[in-house]
Amino acid sequence: MQLVQHTPPRVARTPPTHPTKSPILDTLDFTLPPELEAHEPPEARGLTRNQVRLVVSYQSNDHVAHTSFTDLPDLLQPGDVVVINTSGTLNAALEATRADGQQLVVHLSTQLPAQLWIVEVRQPGVTTTQPFYDAKAGETLQLPGGASVTLLAPHHQESTPRLWIARLHTPEPLTQYAAQYGTPIRYSYVTQHWPAEYYQTVYATEPGSAEMPSAGRPFTTNCITQLVARGIQVVPLILHTGVSSLEAHEPPYEEYYRVSPETANVVNAARANGKRIIAVGTTVVRALETVTDTTGRTYAGAGWTDLVITPQRGIRAIDSLLTGLHEPRASHLAMLEALANRRHLHLAYTEALRERYRWHEFGDLHLILP
């Protein structure tokens, strides 16, 4: 379980339309024992959703503490601002059929302007060698209930593209259609199907995420009440998160975000008064950093962001982060290193491995404080 420094091998994944996005991210590498992967929600282990464990690391002195998510209100201070992502999780996995009868799976990822989508096309049941289907531009795949998806062009220029720009045709509004015919995206470490409610946060207001903004999963209405009662402000934004990939550690791509004037004003006021701003999840960081300038002022805004946050760029909008435990070499670790240096992350992850925390969306959490 020893952590090591590692630079991933070079892979040609940079799309020509995004020259500033580099797929070569030097992030933390370590061995994640399979038994530390959370294969099911905490509820299946006899816990409530807020009874997951919480490792807390303090940047100022590298102290690492072990506690429970239920202690979160006591770890924060009056005047702190907690920023949450209220995007709801779609049933984004759809069965698909090729013209020759081959069965595939389409993962809806990001809705683009002009009724276009970024989608991922997979071969069902293939989790190692090459899970991505060698599709052709212009190909139409049939979906259940009379829907279809037409693959227009690869999103990345590579031999077997993972992502496609596509046009989706459904006979009813997407949210209704996905609720009837889709299922939540499930990766190989989750060993059985779980209903859609297990992939929702309690404060979700607007469906749109392909995968759950999972750092917010342990929150309960009681937790939010406790935070507010302690004088901690909880403010929302939207970032509809797209699909991730366990096969290739790619940098993030376009995702839709929306930050309201009210949220921007609360964040700016907290910063001006020397209060802490705690982002719940990397999705919140990405949205806030997109609308925060080099002086640290946050603005309202909406659109699609392809921002990649690295230690070289730095973080301007927040000083604290509640996040899951990320797999080795994940691009999200570069974002964490922009907030807390690699030495600090090395210490925190060493402790999480030693104490046998659980990883992934149904796992435990990490709170990084100044």
Side-chain angles (χ1 to χ4, degrees), residues 81-85 233 235-237 263 267 277-280 284 288:
V81 172
V82 173
V83 188
I84 58 175
N85 179 9
Q233 296 187 79
V235 295
L237 56 72
T263 290
V267 168
I277 301 163
I278 299 101
V280 178
V284 169
L288 285 179

Side-chain angles (χ1 to χ4, degrees), residues 11-149:
V11 287
R13 289 186 180 271
T14 305
T17 53
H18 297 83
T20 62
K21 290 171 66 175
S22 171
I24 314 306
L25 293 177
D26 174 17
T27 59
L28 198 66
D29 191 19
F30 53 94
T31 300
L32 177 61
E35 66 270 19
L36 297 189
E37 296 184 312
H39 303 299
E40 68 282 308
E43 295 91 319
R45 306 194 298 272
L47 306 173
T48 57
R49 67 166 57 208
N50 65 335
Q51 287 180 321
V52 294
R53 299 169 72 193
L54 180 65
V55 57
V56 185
S57 63
Y58 297 86
Q59 302 171 62
S60 59
N61 58 8
D62 287 332
H63 175 63
V64 178
H66 302 284
T67 183
S68 167
F69 182 82
T70 55
D71 296 323
L72 179 68
D74 295 327
L75 294 166
L76 304 184
Q77 303 167 357
D80 284 345
V81 172
V82 173
V83 188
I84 58 175
N85 179 9
T86 58
S87 175
T89 310
L90 291 170
N91 283 358
L94 298 167
E95 295 179 353
T97 305
R98 194 184 175 199
D100 63 4
Q102 181 181 359
Q103 297 301 300
L104 300 168
V105 175
V106 169
H107 289 169
L108 304 179
S109 181
T110 302
Q111 186 166 12
L112 301 173
Q115 302 302 309
L116 298 178
W117 278 82
I118 297 174
V119 303
E120 181 185 61
V121 184
R122 284 178 171 252
Q123 302 179 73
V126 179
T127 59
T128 53
T129 56
Q130 178 49 266
F132 305 120
Y133 166 62
D134 189 11
K136 304 291 186 249
E139 186 171 3
T140 295
L141 307 176
Q142 298 303 313
L143 303 175
S148 64
V149 60

Side-chain angles (χ1 to χ4, degrees), residues 6 21 87 96 135 181 203 205 273:
H6 178 77
K21 290 171 66 175
S87 175
Y181 294 104
Y203 48 67
T205 59
N273 291 320

Side-chain angles (χ1 to χ4, degrees), residues 103-216:
Q103 297 301 300
L104 300 168
V105 175
V106 169
H107 289 169
L108 304 179
S109 181
T110 302
Q111 186 166 12
L112 301 173
Q115 302 302 309
L116 298 178
W117 278 82
I118 297 174
V119 303
E120 181 185 61
V121 184
R122 284 178 171 252
Q123 302 179 73
V126 179
T127 59
T128 53
T129 56
Q130 178 49 266
F132 305 120
Y133 166 62
D134 189 11
K136 304 291 186 249
E139 186 171 3
T140 295
L141 307 176
Q142 298 303 313
L143 303 175
S148 64
V149 60
T150 300
L151 308 178
L152 302 178
H155 186 269
H156 290 86
Q157 301 301 319
E158 51 191 324
S159 57
T160 303
R162 175 173 84 94
L163 300 172
W164 286 83
I165 298 172
R167 190 174 300 280
L168 182 66
H169 304 271
T170 60
E172 54 193 319
L174 176 66
T175 302
Q176 294 176 233
Y177 175 82
Q180 181 173 358
Y181 294 104
T183 59
I185 290 176
R186 176 171 67 91
Y187 289 107
S188 58
Y189 53 81
V190 178
T191 53
Q192 69 181 79
H193 170 76
W194 294 96
E197 56 264 28
Y198 285 92
Y199 292 86
Q200 297 292 354
T201 60
V202 299
Y203 48 67
T205 59
E206 180 180 320
S209 282
E211 297 188 10
M212 174 176 53
S214 54

Side-chain angles (χ1 to χ4, degrees), residues 1-4 28 30 55 64 66 343-357 359:
M1 296 192 296
Q2 183 179 3
L3 284 78
V4 296
L28 198 66
F30 53 94
V55 57
V64 178
H66 302 284
R343 181 179 56 81
H344 181 82
L345 284 185
H346 183 282
L347 291 171
Y349 270 62
T350 298
E351 282 284 301
L353 288 165
R354 183 177 63 83
E355 295 293 326
R356 306 195 60 80
Y357 280 68
W359 258 248

